[in-house]
Amino acid sequence: MPDFEAIVGRYLTVEIGGEQHRLFIEEAGRGIPLLCLHTAGNDSRQFRHVMNDKEVTDRFRVVAFDMPYHGRSTPPDQWWLKKPRLTTKLYLEIVRAVWTTLELERPVVMGCSMGGAIVLKVAADYQNEIRGIVGLESSAHAPGRYNDFLHHPAIHGGELCASYTYGLNSPYSPEQNRRENWWYYSQSGPGVYQGDVHFYSNDWDAREDIKTIDTGRCKVALLTGEFDYSCTPAMTEQVAAAIKGSRYTLMKRMGHFPMIENYPDFRPYLLDALDHVAA
């Protein structure tokens, strides 16, 4: 028999801001819903190891999706008339629209990088609707990442974005895995990564919002790699200090993309965080 993986992928129409969006959703497992949010300019393939980990999928229904414009999702109507520009408000609408359309009951929401940022706002605004968050490389404020060369007619955008982010991996992570993440980034549509960084670097500031998170209702686990120089450990420490009862762990020998760059080393940190938020 063919040795199929347990991951199942399907398309789902989701209403976001009054518009219909055709999103690609993949999932594996059963149990507590675990909604995974990919990084800027990438897609849900980054979570393939999580969805193939039986110890995770025996307890969790792991769901990952490609954001509009990203991966295998279809761009919105008349996308050619406007630049991709993600904002905090729109991002929050997208994430909540997915879990309500899928009827996920009190999910755990896990995101990395820009996904690790927005989960903080998800916890602040919807802490009565979710079980908890796992923030990978989470920052409440990250200015200075945006630049015009991320979408420039004289530069190959796919290779630039892929190589720009390649340096955020840990030098200890296997090259095969780092190159896999590079490959996913290289397939991003024109201007998509820049549009995401607009959110992450220009629009995002949750330094006051996170102070309202009640970890008695919504558990918070924060994991950041010691080699991450985009969301540095110090930035996540500031987040943890502002959220009473949150749990922060520094991941040794890890970079900015733990779930894809070095899953075996990331796995113990992940399992411990999931135990915490699902308790």
Side-chain angles (χ1 to χ4, degrees), residues 31-45:
I32 298 169
L34 173 61
L35 183 63
C36 300
L37 312 179
H38 59 73
T39 66
N42 215 300
D43 58 63
S44 66
R45 288 177 291 179

Side-chain angles (χ1 to χ4, degrees), residues 193-243:
Y193 181 71
Q194 187 190 61
D196 288 349
V197 176
H198 169 76
F199 151 75
Y200 188 63
S201 193
N202 296 348
D203 189 60
W204 174 243
D205 188 348
R207 288 174 290 183
E208 292 301 315
D209 297 276
I210 60 178
K211 296 176 183 178
T212 68
I213 298 172
D214 179 2
T215 55
R217 290 184 288 168
C218 175
K219 299 288 185 66
V220 176
L222 305 169
L223 305 172
T224 294
E226 68 171 334
F227 282 91
D228 189 349
Y229 60 85
S230 177
C231 172
T232 65
M235 294 167 73
T236 306
E237 287 169 9
Q238 292 172 2
V239 172
I243 306 174

Side-chain angles (χ1 to χ4, degrees), residues 8-193:
V8 175
R10 292 177 289 182
Y11 282 92
L12 178 71
T13 298
V14 179
E15 184 173 318
I16 302 165
E19 287 187 316
Q20 300 295 312
H21 289 260
R22 182 174 181 261
L23 303 185
F24 183 79
I25 314 276
E26 52 187 344
E27 63 177 278
R30 59 189 302 174
I32 298 169
L34 173 61
L35 183 63
C36 300
L37 312 179
H38 59 73
T39 66
N42 215 300
D43 58 63
S44 66
R45 288 177 291 179
Q46 290 183 314
F47 292 98
R48 71 179 184 88
H49 299 294
V50 178
M51 288 188 281
N52 278 308
D53 188 332
K54 196 170 186 302
E55 190 166 347
V56 175
T57 56
D58 279 350
R59 296 176 56 205
F60 293 89
R61 177 188 174 190
V62 186
V63 178
F65 70 98
D66 295 349
M67 294 267 289
Y69 290 102
H70 296 70
R72 296 142 293 184
S73 289
T74 306
D77 288 346
Q78 296 188 314
W79 57 269
W80 57 91
L81 299 179
K82 52 193 174 184
K83 284 186 175 182
R85 279 294 179 268
L86 189 63
T87 63
T88 302
K89 180 178 181 294
L90 175 59
Y91 200 177
L92 201 62
E93 287 178 0
I94 292 169
V95 176
R96 188 164 184 267
V98 169
W99 96 58
T100 56
T101 303
L102 289 171
E103 299 180 342
L104 303 182
E105 184 178 353
R106 295 194 65 224
V108 172
V109 186
M110 177 169 71
C112 183
S113 187
M114 76 167 189
I118 200 64
V119 296
L120 300 174
K121 182 66 171 169
V122 169
D125 286 13
Y126 299 111
Q127 51 197 298
N128 291 324
E129 296 184 29
I130 65 174
R131 190 179 302 261
I133 61 168
V134 178
L136 309 178
E137 323 304 321
S138 291
S139 62
H141 188 53
R145 309 301 190 272
Y146 185 90
N147 70 73
D148 290 334
F149 291 108
L150 294 175
H151 186 207
H152 192 284
I155 297 173
H156 190 297
E159 290 193 357
L160 171 66
C161 295
S163 300
Y164 187 66
T165 54
Y166 183 81
L168 293 172
N169 291 281
S170 166
Y172 292 101
S173 294
E175 183 173 3
Q176 179 70 29
N177 298 358
R178 288 182 280 154
R179 294 289 181 182
E180 180 180 346
N181 195 49
W182 185 100
W183 184 251
Y184 297 158
Y185 264 108
S186 72
Q187 298 170 1
S188 180
V192 172
Y193 181 71

